[in-house]
Amino acid sequence: MKLFVYHTPELTPNGKAPDCAIAVDVLRATSTIATVLAAGGEAVQVFSDLDQLKEVSEKWPSEKRLRAGERGGAKVAGFELGNSPLDCTPELVRGRRLFISTTNGTRALQRIQHSPTVLAAALINRAAVVQHLLQKQPETVWIVGSGWEGSFSLEDTVCAGAIAHSLVEQTQFSPEELAGNDEVIGAIALYSQWQNNLLGLFHQASHGQRLLRLQCHEDLKYCSQIDILDVLPIQKEPGVLKSQ
């Protein structure tokens, strides 16, 4: 298994697809996706374009759909939800499909949607993702961070490091053998330094500070937890994720 970490969708190689691609947007799209599916949501369908989301979701019965829109960290007017996983309670999402568009995370998922296997990972469901990799042993794995508007983000990189660190711990691979690029080594180092204070790291991250200004303190706390959900969001058709 060779692991590659890309800090943003734009940094992935053109014209290539790995055996397994993992989208990461810890704050907050992939945390929300994992939460919805763990709470009994039927599926999560992702869009980068808000108008396309509205058009497709209109074809679903209103009682079977929820629409989540976020731009700049704030909820889009006219949508039932923003991008807070804390709003996705079992009572609200059970049996429904979530149609979601966010500033960064949905772009990452769309960039990798043609890979044979596409997963959504956050810190809260890291163990389920690692377990899948150990079972399936894909030859090449990309972990694609969402970043913020094309730039590096601490929270997505630390999640990539958490996945890589766990793989090293549970296999015979050394970090050097596992790493397909230098970013993997950097991500492992970041996680090793901050693994006992992930919330503290989020408070230093630029997007963490943006969410704090929007009074999303509880979201940061929730998203900084590790291995609390046993759920594997896996793409069943382009842009549609369901629980494995």
Side-chain angles (χ1 to χ4, degrees), residues 24-69:
V24 176
D25 184 12
V26 175
L27 295 177
R28 295 163 288 170
T30 54
S31 296
T32 297
I33 289 166
T35 301
V36 167
L37 294 177
E42 179 264 331
V44 178
Q45 191 162 351
V46 301
F47 299 84
S48 50
D49 182 76
L50 288 167
D51 290 330
Q52 191 190 12
L53 183 160
K54 288 176 187 169
E55 186 185 325
V56 173
S57 63
E58 280 298 326
K59 295 168 185 162
W60 281 72
S62 57
E63 70 277 8
K64 290 289 185 183
R65 72 173 185 232
L66 281 168
R67 292 186 279 208

Side-chain angles (χ1 to χ4, degrees), residues 145-227:
S146 301
W148 177 261
E149 296 182 345
S151 299
F152 172 93
S153 74
L154 285 168
E155 66 276 6
D156 293 344
T157 305
V158 84
C159 182
I163 293 167
H165 184 272
S166 185
L167 286 170
V168 168
E169 282 194 327
Q170 296 186 60
T171 64
Q172 304 304 310
F173 294 122
S174 68
E176 296 76 21
E177 290 168 324
L178 189 67
N181 60 5
D182 285 358
E183 286 89 334
V184 176
I185 304 299
I188 291 172
L190 182 68
Y191 176 71
S192 298
Q193 181 177 345
W194 287 93
Q195 58 184 311
N196 297 317
N197 187 20
L198 291 166
L199 182 58
L201 179 68
F202 287 8
H203 278 254
Q204 294 198 23
S206 59
H207 191 40
Q209 292 175 17
R210 195 175 289 110
L211 290 171
L212 287 170
R213 289 193 292 274
L214 292 166
Q215 307 302 313
C216 296
H217 305 80
E218 295 304 314
D219 278 24
L220 291 195
K221 282 187 198 170
Y222 177 78
C223 295
S224 68
Q225 298 175 97
I226 204 150
D227 300 342

